[in-house]
Amino acid sequence: MENKKATTSQRLALAIRSGAVLLLAMMALGISISAPVHPRVFAAQASTVPASPIPVRYTDVRESAKITFQQDSTQTDEKYYLETMGTGVGWIDYDQDGLMDLFFVQSAATDIYKPPRPLRCALYHNNGDGTFTDVTEKAGVGGEGHYGQGVAVGDFDNDGYPDLYVTGYGRAILYHNNGNGTFTDVTAKAGVADEGGWSTSAGWFDYDRDGWLDLVVTNYIDWTPKNNMWCGERRPGYRSYCHPGNYKGQRIKLYHNNHDGTFTDVSDASGVGKPEAKGMGVVLADFNNDGWPDIAIANDSWPNFLFINKHNGTFEDVSLVSGIAASEDGRYEAGMGIDAADVDGDGWQDIYITHLDFELNRLYHNNQDGTFTDDTFGSRIGNKAVLLSGVAMKFLDYDNDGWNDILQLNGAMLDNVSLYRNEVSYKEPLLMFRNLGKGQFDKVSESLGPDFVRPIVGRGLATADYDNDGDIDIVTNNRGDYPSLLRNDGGNSNHWLTVLLIGTKSNRDGIGASLKLTSEGFMHVEQAKGGGSYMSASDPRIHFGLGKRTKIESLEITWPSGQVDRLTNPSIDQIIAVKEGVGIIPRPFPKIPSPK
């Protein structure tokens, strides 16, 4: 997050020191500029004919779905740093009925903020008819008194039922899924409380490929109510939240799964916990295609991290040499949301990181040699969102054309931001960049309907096909407001395939698996990744858009154990469950009827 003290003109004057940011200043002043195009991207563009878009609309069905949760910002005139962070949201099929349920993270009372009623997180059961039921009390996951931040979903004990890890200020909570609709707080036994830390995002992955999920936790800064500073002008109504540079960073945590319900803190021994961090978002993926999962972390006004797995329990910090630590012009920006996907069809994972207004959201192209190129302008994303504060993001194929698109959730950090910048609003619309093929993007937000572009103060963002109809839906957790549940209407006009992984030798969730789909000459590679977005957890099922292609020749799954399963000619337009070493197994995925 950024300091709101400087006026727009002051910030632009300072920005003239760097060429790329000078372009931003010129845009803000209305001066016409042309974005540079990298030769690699230009060549790809020349050989790619964008597919014709299909009409897709997103409809907010939160009220009809009977979701009544409301996030409490705990806001006061003291501008506690905690207040502006918001809270995350997660999709979890906690009862394994084939329907994705919803978990909303909530804040808590502070020493100066006393809510009218106790605050708690909320778990909503998907009823299979378009509605949800609040089952928090029965499930035992309210976490009253815990100032929650984010959520990570994973089956850490391989019993077939996904568990919940809820990050937060001062401590975190691990809820074990008992398989009967209830959860048990096992934090103390497991040893993953992160006591004294300010944990934000977290992610599950099997870094040593022993068949059990380990846990990465990002921690933020050493802020307390006692060291809460005054920032902003000393006029009534002008106090602001401070820049993270005013506070020391914390450390990343890595917990190794001991296979007995306990974890060992290997943060220092692995190398992951050594550098100072100001962690906000994390994504866990194989970036060098060696079959071992790596760690990428978005840091706030601090170098982003990339840790490469060395196959021996340790990681190499290649943040600076990889090129993702900073922007192309060498600046450390306000990193928050992060995700990874192959955006240009070369089979390698690229990275997108969101930043706040008057900074750029960065797309880093994987060069296949351990380095990344800042491809923000070459991809045509450029400065199209320079006045928006990007908080969270997810890659998804919203129109099922076979190319990963970019969904970005926005919302200013300061409720009185308009006092400092009249070009910026507190509430901001969602943003969608449609992939035209080969990693070239076009902004299409306005075509997705009024509910999609309705201004909100977005914080948590997660995606899922909650109605099992073959297109990807969206949920957001909005600061001090009701959430949004955006149903995708029209995406399934194109063909698709969704895959639920069930590991046997590998971890039960299949996290770390690589899936290669071949369809009518088109090859699409996806990975089962951990983390992603900002403090949130998305549908773990792997989704492939097929466009107008009607036949899949093969689906090859390389599991973390090394097992390779090859499916020949699977049917399209369905959700399948694939068990390691077995193949497709029967599993119900009830489709929610479309509204009349």
Side-chain angles (χ1 to χ4, degrees):
M1 287 167 286
E2 57 190 322
N3 194 337
K4 302 299 188 285
K5 290 191 292 184
T7 65
T8 300
S9 59
Q10 289 171 329
R11 287 178 60 82
L12 291 176
L14 291 170
I16 291 176
R17 281 181 284 178
S18 68
V21 182
L22 175 57
L23 297 177
L24 297 183
M26 294 168 69
M27 280 294 292
L29 295 173
I31 301 173
S32 176
I33 60 175
S34 297
V37 179
H38 296 303
R40 178 193 62 77
V41 176
F42 186 80
Q45 173 191 343
S47 63
T48 302
V49 178
S52 299
I54 59 172
V56 175
R57 294 290 184 274
Y58 277 97
T59 304
D60 190 350
V61 296
R62 193 269 308 171
E63 289 190 60
S64 62
K66 299 184 179 178
I67 294 173
T68 59
F69 173 85
Q70 186 173 10
Q71 203 271 345
D72 194 317
S73 66
T74 70
Q75 185 157 330
T76 68
D77 292 339
E78 293 300 309
K79 299 291 183 185
Y80 273 12
Y81 218 128
L82 272 176
E83 302 165 3
T84 192
M85 298 286 284
T87 53
V89 59
W91 292 101
I92 174 174
D93 182 5
Y94 76 93
D95 56 355
Q96 291 295 281
D97 63 354
L99 292 161
M100 299 305 299
D101 311 299
L102 262 176
F103 181 79
F104 292 97
V105 184
Q106 182 63 286
S107 56
T110 68
D111 60 343
I112 58 172
Y113 177 80
K114 307 303 177 187
R117 53 188 172 276
L119 300 178
R120 64 176 191 175
C121 298
L123 178 62
Y124 282 89
H125 176 259
N126 188 334
N127 299 323
D129 61 0
T131 68
F132 291 75
T133 298
D134 187 336
V135 294
T136 311
E137 186 173 354
K138 176 187 175 184
V141 292
E144 186 178 323
H146 175 237
Y147 203 111
Q149 291 285 258
V151 58
V153 176
D155 183 2
F156 76 83
D157 59 351
N158 290 333
D159 66 353
Y161 288 90
D163 310 297
L164 285 167
Y165 186 75
V166 185
T167 62
Y169 178 73
R171 63 186 177 93
I173 300 174
L174 177 60
Y175 291 109
H176 174 257
N177 189 333
N178 300 320
N180 61 1
T182 70
F183 291 75
T184 300
D185 183 342
V186 296
T187 316
K189 175 189 174 184
V192 293
D194 192 30
E195 288 285 351
W198 183 353
S199 50
T200 51
S201 294
W204 296 98
F205 75 147
D206 183 5
Y207 76 88
D208 55 355
R209 303 199 317 187
D210 64 355
W212 297 77
L213 289 179
D214 311 299
L215 180 65
V216 172
V217 182
T218 64
N219 284 298
Y220 191 39
I221 57 174
D222 282 335
W223 173 91
T224 71
K226 292 182 179 179
N227 66 13
N228 191 55
M229 303 177 184
W230 182 295
C231 289
E233 298 180 28
R234 289 188 175 270
R235 290 193 281 163
Y238 276 76
R239 186 170 183 175
S240 71
Y241 299 100
C242 295
H243 191 279
N246 290 300
Y247 299 95
K248 184 180 178 182
Q250 296 191 338
R251 295 291 194 276
I252 306 301
K253 291 286 187 179
L254 176 59
Y255 294 101
H256 177 259
N257 192 327
N258 299 325
H259 313 173
D260 60 1
T262 70
F263 292 76
T264 298
D265 185 342
V266 295
S267 310
D268 289 339
S270 67
V272 170
K274 290 183 178 179
E276 182 180 347
K278 296 183 180 180
M280 297 292 259
V282 59
V283 64
L284 308 164
D286 179 6
F287 292 106
N288 58 0
N289 281 355
D290 65 352
W292 293 76
D294 310 304
I295 304 170
I297 292 172
N299 283 307
D300 188 359
S301 303
W302 198 255
N304 301 313
F305 292 160
L306 180 60
F307 297 104
I308 296 297
N309 196 322
K310 301 303 291 180
H311 313 173
N312 60 1
T314 69
F315 290 80
E316 181 182 0
D317 185 349
V318 299
S319 307
L320 293 174
V321 297
S322 71
I324 78 157
S327 64
E328 188 173 34
D329 53 315
R331 293 184 304 130
Y332 303 140
E333 296 169 308
M336 295 187 71
I338 187 172
D339 201 10
D342 175 13
V343 302
D344 55 358
D346 63 0
W348 295 70
Q349 296 285 302
D350 309 298
I351 299 173
Y352 188 89
I353 300 177
T354 65
H355 301 106
L356 300 191
D357 50 37
F358 291 91
E359 296 178 338
L360 297 185
N361 304 289
R362 302 287 173 178
L363 177 63
Y364 294 97
H365 175 260
N366 191 327
N367 297 323
Q368 307 177 23
D369 61 0
T371 69
F372 291 75
T373 297
D374 184 344
D375 208 20
T376 305
F377 280 99
S379 64
R380 298 185 180 180
I381 292 170
N383 46 30
K384 293 177 181 175
V386 69
L387 296 180
L388 298 177
S389 290
V391 178
M393 65 81 47
K394 280 294 295 177
F395 285 109
L396 79 167
D397 185 359
Y398 81 94
D399 57 355
N400 283 341
D401 67 353
W403 295 95
N404 280 301
D405 310 302
I406 295 172
L407 169 66
Q408 181 176 309
L409 177 69
N410 307 292
M413 292 295 113
L414 189 62
D415 57 327
N416 59 358
V417 64
S418 60
L419 297 177
Y420 289 90
R421 302 178 190 169
N422 55 19
E423 311 98 321
V424 176
S425 300
Y426 176 48
K427 294 184 176 183
E428 298 175 343
L430 281 165
L431 183 66
M432 185 75 82
F433 286 115
R434 179 173 182 259
N435 193 333
L436 303 177
K438 298 294 183 182
Q440 299 284 290
F441 292 88
D442 184 34
K443 182 181 173 185
V444 296
S445 311
E446 288 73 17
S447 72
L448 300 178
D451 288 348
F452 186 86
V453 294
R454 177 177 62 88
I456 55 176
V457 188
R459 293 297 185 262
L461 169 71
T463 57
D465 181 7
Y466 83 89
D467 50 5
N468 287 340
D469 68 348
D471 47 32
I472 305 301
D473 312 299
I474 301 166
V475 66
T476 71
N477 200 353
N478 306 324
R479 183 186 182 222
D481 201 352
Y482 293 103
S484 305
L485 178 58
L486 297 171
R487 186 188 64 219
N488 185 322
D489 295 324
N492 55 14
S493 297
N494 277 331
H495 297 300
W496 55 278
L497 178 74
T498 299
V499 183
L500 173 69
L501 298 175
I502 302 174
T504 53
K505 296 178 184 177
S506 303
N507 65 84
R508 177 81 179 202
D509 293 340
I511 295 177
S514 176
L515 296 82
K516 182 172 70 174
L517 180 145
T518 303
S519 170
E520 300 181 15
F522 185 91
M523 189 180 73
H524 189 164
V525 177
E526 288 287 350
Q527 292 184 14
K529 299 179 287 285
S533 189
Y534 166 71
M535 305 200 304
S536 299
S538 292
D539 192 335
R541 299 174 296 186
I542 310 301
H543 185 82
F544 292 93
L546 300 174
K548 300 305 179 184
R549 294 179 295 277
T550 58
K551 183 180 179 181
I552 299 172
E553 282 78 45
S554 68
L555 175 64
E556 184 177 284
I557 302 173
T558 303
W559 299 84
S561 67
Q563 167 77 28
V564 178
D565 291 328
R566 183 182 175 89
L567 309 179
T568 303
N569 300 324
S571 299
I572 64 172
D573 297 340
Q574 64 169 333
I575 305 173
I576 59 174
V578 180
K579 190 171 184 178
E580 183 180 8
V582 177
I584 299 176
I585 63 171
R587 189 76 178 258
F589 297 101
K591 182 179 177 180
I592 295 176
S594 300
K596 304 238 176 164

